Amino acid sequence: MTTRNYDILVWGATGFTGSRLVEYLALNAPAGTRVAIGGRNRSKIEAVRAKLAAKHPMAPISLASMDILIGDSQNAQDMHAIASQTRVVASTVGPYSIYGEQLVRACVEEVTDCCDITAEVPWVHDMNRELNDQAVRNNVHIVSLCGFDCIPADLGCLMLAQYSREHIQQPLLHVKGSIVGIRGGVSGGTMATLGNQLGIEARRLWKGVKAQMSGSSTPQSQPSNGKETNRAVVHYDQTLGRWQGFWVMSIINSMATKWAGRELNYGPGFSYAETMTARNVFMAIAQTLGFVYLAALMFFSATRNLLYMLRAIPRPGEGPSDKFMKSGFFSLHLEAFSETEVFYGKVSGSSDPGYSETIKYLGESALCLAFDRDESFRPGIYPPSVAIGNKLLDRLRNRGCQFDVARKIIPASHDSAKKVQ
């Protein structure tokens, strides 16, 4: 790689998550790290830079001196000009299926590593199918899914698979995840991405139905290993002694972990399922129906706009307060199955998972790409576990994130998460 002006560029610095990522890197990156900030509106970026510089005048990485790069995410020439100046891009500009493609293409061609917080797994698959071979040839790492969806499930399964191989000498066949406690807010950017993704998935589903009806497509599934239990959406978990209901990120996390399992050979037919704990069966049913109802309202533009008008959901650029984010937490219980053994994992965080933890995950992913690269890194377009797995896992543990595995159920290490055990 030729000499670059910057180590890390934060793309989308004026957004709710992007501005906080700039702050995180200024406070946590190694001394001398060259950080630039970018987006499409110079005056807004300058305002963000000035605000953060006033808030942290003694930050290890000077906020006031951060260079600004301007471009349009949908303009290929702009994205090439930006990608060519930095070693790593950390992107917070979504929906990625709309605003992410030109950046990924530019990074692959300009030999620039990139990480993002998309939860749009089908889009990541599309980028992998189209650009992965070129990324491998150029030794480029495009690491998607670096937020709360899907780091806890993705790296949690990596941790369990390695434990199963090293300590049990058996492949990992199935993992059952359960969110046993969570408190966090949601930003307007997340809601905008949800609305866009629901439309994409509905169209893909309809195409699949038509293809099957016409006989032009034969669906293919991963062979069963006999360990995945077909549970109802609402069910009672005997291990936890708690009722379980639908969890909104379960489909995304299942897709990402199964993909990683195939790439890293966790075990034949590896599968992942995820639910959310409820106080009783009635709450489990209520939260499941609530997620379905919200999805229906977000799918149609008319009802989505009504929610914006009523301030029922935040608009893009809006999000929870700093005080609320600091009060957040999450705890993910993992039950793992090898051929003959059952063992357990715990992943938890002590702040808002969708924002404070996500910013930490993305910031450490960018720093990992910038400073930790070695022969364990896998070039291409992949989830974090496949591309930078153990190096990122070490970084997050060093930042206070709990990733533990043992033969018995593990209590969360964070006091905030213990409240819900």
Side-chain angles (χ1 to χ4, degrees):
M1 183 186 295
T2 58
T3 302
R4 302 293 174 94
N5 296 328
Y6 312 107
D7 296 309
I8 299 172
L9 165 68
V10 177
W11 184 244
T14 61
F16 185 84
T17 302
S19 62
R20 285 157 178 80
L21 177 61
V22 173
E23 183 178 27
Y24 181 89
L25 291 173
L27 297 175
N28 295 284
T33 303
R34 301 166 300 162
V35 179
I37 54 180
R40 63 181 179 180
N41 188 309
R42 178 174 291 277
S43 62
K44 288 183 178 180
I45 299 175
E46 289 175 343
V48 167
R49 183 178 63 178
K51 180 180 179 180
L52 291 175
K55 183 179 179 182
H56 301 288
M58 303 303 292
I61 307 299
S62 173
L63 285 150
S65 62
M66 287 183 180
D67 288 347
I68 294 174
L69 304 182
I70 300 300
D72 181 343
S73 292
Q74 294 178 303
N75 184 297
Q77 186 174 354
D78 285 357
M79 293 300 95
H80 277 270
I82 286 168
S84 65
Q85 298 185 59
T86 182
R87 296 171 56 224
V88 177
V89 176
S91 175
T92 64
V93 180
Y96 290 84
S97 58
I98 298 176
Y99 300 111
E101 181 175 343
Q102 294 303 328
L103 176 61
V104 170
R105 290 183 181 280
C107 285
V108 170
E109 294 175 12
E110 297 292 342
V111 194
T112 300
D113 289 345
C114 181
C115 53
D116 63 50
I117 52 172
T118 184
E120 300 157 73
V121 179
W123 173 75
V124 181
H125 276 298
D126 288 346
M127 294 293 94
N128 174 275
R129 281 191 293 267
E130 187 170 349
L131 298 171
N132 195 69
D133 289 346
Q134 185 179 3
V136 172
R137 287 195 302 270
N138 291 350
N139 197 28
V140 172
H141 306 83
I142 307 296
V143 190
S144 286
L145 311 167
C146 292
F148 182 50
D149 35 8
C150 304
I151 288 280
D154 181 42
L155 294 187
C157 286
L158 173 67
M159 168 187 71
L160 292 168
Q162 292 175 338
Y163 182 90
S164 189
R165 292 284 187 187
E166 294 170 8
H167 296 277
I168 304 177
Q169 286 79 52
Q170 294 179 3
L172 181 65
L173 301 181
H174 177 61
V175 175
K176 165 68 168 68
S178 177
I179 297 291
V180 296
I182 189 168
R183 173 181 170 85
V186 65
S187 79
T190 296
M191 299 308 295
T193 297
L194 174 62
N196 177 69
Q197 193 63 15
L198 285 170
I200 291 173
E201 291 308 303
R203 290 191 292 272
R204 291 188 184 211
L205 178 61
W206 176 238
K207 287 181 181 179
V209 169
K210 289 195 295 183
Q212 290 185 39
M213 291 175 63
S214 66
S216 62
S217 174
T218 302
Q220 298 192 6
S221 60
Q222 198 167 335
S224 172
N225 55 40
K227 291 293 182 181
E228 182 171 3
T229 302
N230 292 322
R231 305 176 181 88
V233 174
V234 175
H235 67 276
Y236 187 78
D237 189 295
Q238 297 290 342
T239 301
L240 293 171
R242 307 279 287 276
W243 281 94
Q244 304 293 309
F246 178 74
W247 169 234
V248 67
M249 287 162 46
S250 59
I251 297 173
I252 295 165
N253 287 334
S254 177
M255 293 170 66
T257 52
K258 288 179 180 179
W259 181 10
R262 290 191 298 270
E263 295 293 338
L264 298 175
N265 193 27
Y266 290 168
F270 170 78
S271 59
Y272 179 82
E274 195 173 76
T275 54
M276 184 175 182
T277 294
R279 293 181 179 178
N280 53 53
V281 64
F282 303 106
M283 290 295 293
I285 294 171
Q287 73 187 29
T288 300
L289 294 177
F291 282 129
V292 173
Y293 184 59
L294 175 62
L297 292 176
M298 288 299 298
F299 177 78
F300 298 102
S301 59
T303 52
R304 186 164 62 247
N305 290 334
L306 178 62
L307 292 175
Y308 284 134
M309 290 177 58
L310 297 175
R311 308 294 294 178
I313 59 174
R315 293 183 179 275
E318 300 175 342
S321 67
D322 288 343
K323 181 179 179 181
F324 183 86
M325 287 191 293
K326 289 179 181 178
S327 71
F329 63 89
F330 81 94
S331 182
L332 172 64
H333 165 82
L334 299 168
E335 185 174 8
F337 300 84
S338 67
E339 293 174 340
T340 62
E341 302 290 334
V342 179
F343 53 104
Y344 303 93
K346 178 71 72 175
V347 181
S348 70
S350 57
S351 61
D352 185 308
Y355 291 93
S356 298
E357 295 296 310
T358 284
I359 290 161
K360 185 189 302 180
Y361 297 158
L362 183 58
E364 294 302 323
S365 296
L367 291 168
C368 187
L369 287 168
F371 300 117
D372 298 344
R373 183 191 286 207
D374 64 13
E375 65 279 359
S376 70
F377 280 29
R378 180 172 172 178
I381 301 174
Y382 292 116
S385 60
V386 179
I388 56 176
N390 283 315
K391 290 289 186 178
L392 180 58
L393 192 55
D394 290 343
R395 275 188 165 272
L396 294 179
R397 282 172 169 154
N398 290 336
R399 287 294 179 186
C401 301
Q402 183 187 19
F403 285 88
D404 290 335
V405 57
R407 295 297 183 101
K408 296 182 179 180
I409 296 176
I410 309 166
S413 63
H414 298 292
D415 291 338
S416 56
K418 286 182 180 178
K419 296 184 294 186
V420 295
Q421 294 300 310

